[in-house]
Amino acid sequence: MIVAEVESIGGFAGGSVSEPLLQGGILVSVLAYMIHVDFWMAGAAFALFVPQLVFVPLMQGAINRRTRARVQIIRQLSISVVEGTSSDDARDRTDDEHIEQVFELNMGIFRFKFTMNFLMNLSTQLQIISALLVGGWAMYADRLAIGGVVAFISGIGRITDPWGDLVNYFRDVNITQVKYGLVRDAINQQAQGQELEKT
């Protein structure tokens, strides 16, 4: 537990402040620029961006539940390996079931991650299409030049990287919270067990 879980918690703590400040600052700057270029194109792009604020947390919650279950099963498997005796068929079958469960949970986590990435990419492409439609209408009405549309589409492309990095950051935050909670609970259980042994 200490080797597999605590190291990732400590590694996350190192960049936990700088990453959201950097990526959030870039995101706010680009959004302000897009609003400056054309308010209506920015509104259409933001309307297509809003669904990400709904499905990303929902899918991340599903990933968190699978991560928690996977860590608990791996702990059970580790205990079984350390305490097990050779030629114990019942233990071997249970371990095989645990390994199968871990594999299924890992596959579920990957499905959710890749589905989330697909939906985020789809949202970005729809934002570009909306910029072309609204920008084309603005050009037809002599409200905007072609350079404004090109600049706006470039801005949408620049939003993708910091937004993706922020989503990855919050994914790491959630997974680290899950792992930290599991480590904390294990340490508390061990401390309570030691106190009961003393009394």
Side-chain angles (χ1 to χ4, degrees):
M1 181 182 77
I2 296 299
V3 172
E5 297 173 31
V6 175
E7 183 181 357
S8 62
I9 295 170
F12 171 77
S16 62
V17 176
S18 61
E19 185 72 14
L21 287 177
L22 173 66
Q23 301 304 334
I26 293 171
L27 191 63
V28 168
S29 306
V30 173
L31 288 174
Y33 171 73
M34 291 169 67
I35 290 170
H36 174 73
V37 170
D38 189 77
F39 179 77
W40 293 108
M41 278 197 299
F46 184 72
L48 292 168
F49 184 78
V50 168
Q52 293 187 49
L53 301 177
V54 175
F55 69 74
V56 167
L58 291 175
M59 297 179 88
Q60 186 58 51
I63 290 171
N64 291 349
R65 288 188 294 275
R66 283 162 177 75
T67 300
R68 180 184 305 272
R70 181 183 58 145
V71 169
Q72 290 171 339
I73 292 170
I74 288 174
R75 283 183 183 175
Q76 293 171 359
L77 187 60
S78 299
I79 291 168
S80 174
V81 168
V82 171
E83 294 178 351
T85 59
S86 59
S87 70
D88 186 353
D89 292 336
R91 182 184 59 85
D92 290 342
R93 282 193 297 277
T94 304
D95 289 350
D96 289 344
E97 290 173 6
H98 284 153
I99 291 169
E100 186 66 31
Q101 289 173 343
V102 168
F103 177 76
E104 288 300 324
L105 289 168
N106 282 340
M107 292 306 294
I109 289 169
F110 285 123
R111 281 188 208 105
F112 275 108
K113 280 184 180 179
F114 290 125
T115 302
M116 187 188 311
N117 289 340
F118 167 76
L119 292 173
M120 288 171 59
N121 289 336
L122 178 64
S123 177
T124 299
Q125 299 308 316
L126 290 174
Q127 287 173 334
I128 292 172
I129 291 170
S130 73
L132 290 171
L133 291 173
V134 175
W137 171 77
M139 285 175 45
Y140 181 75
D142 288 332
R143 249 187 351 97
L144 190 65
I146 185 70
V149 177
V150 172
F152 192 86
I153 291 173
S154 173
I156 290 173
R158 297 206 184 274
I159 283 180
T160 304
D161 289 337
W163 173 245
D165 290 341
L166 282 174
V167 168
N168 290 336
Y169 170 80
F170 286 112
R171 181 184 301 151
D172 292 342
V173 166
N174 287 313
I175 290 173
T176 302
Q177 284 176 339
V178 168
K179 288 181 178 180
Y180 175 77
L182 291 170
V183 170
R184 181 195 61 221
D185 293 344
I187 291 171
N188 289 340
Q189 286 176 358
Q190 185 178 14
Q192 289 173 357
Q194 288 175 349
E195 287 177 7
L196 289 173
E197 287 175 3
K198 290 177 183 177
T199 59

